[in-house]
Amino acid sequence: IPLAAVTTVVCVVLCIRDCAILSTDPDEYLLGVSRIVQVGRRMPWGVAPYAVCMFILVDALERNQWIDTLATSFVSLCRLGGLVVASTTMMGLTILIVNLLNNQPAAILLSTALVKTRDILLLDADVVVVAANANTSTSYPTTSSTSSSSMVLHTAQPQHRAVEYAKEEFSGIVSAVALGANIGACFTVAGALAGFMWLAILREHHIGISWVAFAVAGAKFMVIPAVLGGIASGLQSWVGMGL
């Protein structure tokens, strides 16, 4: 169902409800409106320009093909020392990007890069399949002594293995990126918009905390979950491959 259709239906339902409340109890309706206005005034609107700029930066990176470069780097990481090492490294890279860009625009950037990464991995798997098929055709020429079932067996095995390995590689890095996008938001104030809102609330109550103190506390509690999450993502792919 299109998101626009769902949003339209919800808005219509809310408008009908508000009209019903207004017709039966105008005072209660006006009280609700005043509460909404109060919430709007207390919102930390100062973080909005920062968030918008980060989304613009992500769009600029995509338009200038930097996401293609990022996807190529992801593929290189997949081939770095096995599935567990690749997933753990991907976890660290995701945490770094999240704290540079903020988790929401970083999630858009990384998801776009992951789509391109999947295409590259599957393309590489197809290359392996084509090479395997060519070798099979060379090694097992069609003769009366070579059965068609033997040719199918030698052709299907490398094809199935290459494609399955590519899928499990992609599954591991997707898990690492998903975990890293959430864990990374707890490392520094810039990791999530909630961090800026939290600081704004603290300032209203005259409570001060520095970015360095927040980062030290975040590293103290989040490094171990990050490492374990990266290892678990790699083991997921490792188990999926039946290795």
Side-chain angles (χ1 to χ4, degrees):
I1 302 175
L3 182 59
V6 175
T7 305
T8 302
V9 172
V10 171
C11 290
V12 170
V13 171
L14 292 176
C15 288
I16 294 174
R17 186 205 65 174
D18 289 346
C19 291
I21 294 175
L22 180 60
S23 62
T24 57
D25 192 348
D27 292 336
E28 182 180 352
Y29 179 79
L30 294 176
L31 179 62
V33 172
S34 66
R35 288 174 179 173
I36 294 175
V37 172
Q38 290 176 5
V39 171
R41 288 177 178 174
R42 295 180 61 186
M43 287 291 291
W45 296 108
V47 303
Y50 170 82
V52 171
C53 289
M54 291 299 100
F55 283 106
I56 293 174
L57 176 60
V58 169
D59 184 69
L61 290 173
E62 183 174 6
R63 290 175 182 272
N64 289 277
Q65 300 182 342
W66 280 98
I67 292 183
D68 293 336
T69 303
L70 185 60
T72 304
S73 301
F74 284 179
V75 173
S76 300
L77 286 176
C78 290
R79 311 289 161 75
L80 179 65
L83 297 174
V84 174
V85 175
S87 297
T88 306
T89 306
M90 183 66 69
M91 172 73 76
L93 180 60
T94 301
I95 290 173
L96 176 63
I97 293 175
V98 163
N99 285 280
L100 289 175
L101 295 179
N102 190 262
N103 63 339
Q104 294 183 6
I108 296 175
L109 172 70
L110 292 168
S111 60
T112 306
L114 284 175
V115 171
K116 297 180 182 295
T117 302
R118 179 198 60 193
D119 296 340
I120 295 174
L121 288 173
L122 292 178
L123 179 61
D124 289 349
D126 290 339
V127 171
V128 171
V129 170
V130 171
N133 290 342
N135 292 335
T136 301
S137 302
T138 303
S139 302
Y140 300 94
T142 305
T143 62
S144 58
S145 61
T146 303
S147 65
S148 60
S149 61
S150 176
M151 292 180 63
V152 170
L153 177 63
H154 284 84
T155 302
Q157 284 180 346
Q159 178 179 3
H160 173 76
R161 193 66 174 174
V163 173
E164 286 301 314
Y165 191 84
K167 289 181 178 179
E168 292 303 330
E169 279 185 313
F170 183 69
S171 174
I173 64 173
V174 167
S175 298
V177 168
L179 289 172
N182 289 276
I183 294 175
C186 301
F187 271 85
T188 67
V189 174
L193 288 178
F196 293 109
M197 296 179 182
W198 177 69
L199 282 182
I201 293 172
L202 290 182
R203 291 193 188 100
E204 288 181 1
H205 294 82
H206 307 288
I207 301 174
I209 182 172
S210 67
W211 284 42
V212 175
F214 187 97
V216 170
K220 184 186 299 183
F221 293 102
M222 302 308 299
V223 168
I224 293 178
V227 174
L228 292 178
I231 294 174
S233 300
L235 290 177
Q236 168 192 324
S237 299
W238 191 73
V239 172
M241 282 298 299
L243 298 177

